[in-house]
Amino acid sequence: MSNQPGSSTAESIDRSPEQPAGRTGYAPGTPVLAVLALGWLAAMLWSTREAIHSAAVGLTAITLSAFALPGVISAALVAGAAVALAASELAARRLGDRAALRFAAAIGAGMLVGLGTALAINLTYADNATTNTIAGTSAAAAIIGGALAGARTPAPVGAVVTAALGTLLFVVLFSQARDPLFDLFGAGDSQASLVGAAKWVSRTESLLGGLVAGLLAFGYLTWARRRAIRHAPDATAPRWPAYLLAGAGPGLLLLLTEVIIRIGGRTLLDLAGALSEADAVAQTSMGTSRIDNGIWVLFVGALTTVVLFGRTLGPTPRDDDPADPAED
């Protein structure tokens, strides 16, 4: 008989926690993600510093700081999550995969990224209230990102970080195509044509950004699943909620960025909006556009990953299929 008394005990010993079978949520490539995210954060800090220092002292610098704040905050949020994910994965491998240990390592890493970001801003930017606002808000964003990365299932977090980095890079690359797209969508000399073209350009950017996010999230989770199966053939594959969350993750991070900006950066936004009526309208319009973009990226990214995951599913076995001859 195959069901001997000691078979279940032996099977449970073979699947001890020391083997990768217990780590079905393994997130590959986290050191590379951390380096890339820190590089992106450094690039955003440098470009913001150059833009502010090249501007005239006073009103223009305040306006540029307000416009640059979302890019710095989103970069800090993603960098905090990426470094925290790498730290939690390292702690789980060296000290055991325990939820409390993973979360503590993630929070500690997020705090280090936040402290480093705040110091870099205070040491290289002009010493004023605007600088302190950017530094404090960026540090808070990095810590929040670290807390989010302390989840018990790191593979979806890795997918979100990968997709978010890809989406942020896509936005920068897409800026090179905005002028041709304005002409394509009929921008002319009238204010109505410019507003209509701007709306279509923004909508195109959001749709393509969501598609990029969904493709990258699905690709990362597929890679993580294959790596997990290679280490443990009986590892559990991620189910559709993991793909849904990973695809929606970049959009959620963009919306979270907006929440952090409106809480931590409220002073800077109010100061920039009080300069003139045109500045107030611009700040309101930019805020609305960022929210719309986050919502579109969220839904398109989630839909993309779920559709791609559905295409990987095989046909459901029929109940009237003939029984396996080996069972007769």
Side-chain angles (χ1 to χ4, degrees):
M1 296 178 61
S2 59
N3 297 330
Q4 295 181 0
S7 60
S8 59
T9 305
E11 186 175 344
S12 63
I13 294 176
D14 290 340
R15 298 180 182 178
S16 62
E18 297 179 356
Q19 295 189 7
R23 289 182 44 75
T24 59
Y26 172 72
T30 53
V32 177
L33 286 178
V35 171
L36 292 177
L38 288 175
W40 181 261
L41 174 60
M44 289 294 101
L45 292 176
W46 179 82
S47 63
T48 301
R49 176 186 177 277
E50 291 299 309
I52 294 175
H53 283 201
S54 64
V57 177
L59 304 184
T60 306
I62 293 175
T63 303
L64 288 177
S65 298
F67 280 121
L69 185 61
V72 175
I73 299 306
S74 60
L77 182 63
V78 175
V83 175
L85 179 62
S88 63
E89 282 289 279
L90 179 62
R93 293 180 186 179
R94 298 292 180 84
L95 303 176
D97 192 9
R98 298 189 296 273
L101 177 63
R102 178 184 287 277
F103 187 76
I107 286 291
M111 293 179 66
L112 288 177
V113 174
L115 178 61
T117 303
L119 287 176
I121 293 174
N122 283 321
L123 293 177
T124 59
Y125 287 38
D127 187 13
N128 50 42
T130 299
T131 298
N132 294 332
T133 299
I134 298 176
T137 310
S138 300
I143 295 173
I144 293 173
L148 295 176
R152 188 65 173 80
T153 54
V157 178
V160 171
V161 171
T162 302
L165 279 174
T167 304
L168 294 177
L169 177 60
F170 167 79
V171 171
V172 174
L173 297 177
F174 186 84
S175 63
Q176 305 300 320
R178 282 197 176 96
D179 290 340
L181 285 177
F182 264 94
D183 297 334
L184 178 64
F185 290 128
D189 297 331
S190 65
Q191 185 69 21
S193 65
L194 290 174
V195 172
K199 182 177 68 174
W200 281 106
V201 170
S202 177
R203 189 61 48 83
T204 301
E205 178 183 355
S206 300
L207 290 174
L208 293 178
L211 182 61
V212 169
L215 291 174
L216 289 176
F218 176 79
Y220 184 91
L221 281 180
T222 301
W223 179 35
R225 177 178 59 83
R226 291 175 179 175
R227 288 287 299 270
I229 293 177
R230 186 182 309 169
H231 287 87
D234 59 345
T236 303
R239 299 185 181 276
W240 69 266
Y243 286 87
L244 178 67
L245 176 61
L252 291 173
L253 288 184
L254 291 176
L255 295 176
L256 179 58
T257 297
E258 189 64 22
V259 173
I260 297 173
I261 292 172
R262 300 200 176 203
I263 295 177
R266 170 55 60 185
T267 302
L268 177 57
L269 296 181
D270 290 343
L271 186 60
L275 298 178
S276 66
E277 184 178 352
D279 285 302
V281 172
Q283 290 298 326
T284 302
S285 176
M286 291 293 292
T288 303
S289 178
R290 290 193 300 267
I291 293 176
D292 290 342
N293 179 62
I295 293 174
W296 277 96
V297 171
L298 188 157
F299 283 106
V300 175
L303 180 62
T304 301
T305 52
V306 171
V307 170
L308 291 175
F309 173 73
R311 291 180 62 86
T312 64
L313 300 177
T316 304
R318 296 171 53 186
D319 295 336
D320 57 350
D321 285 344
D324 188 351
E327 297 178 358
D328 295 339

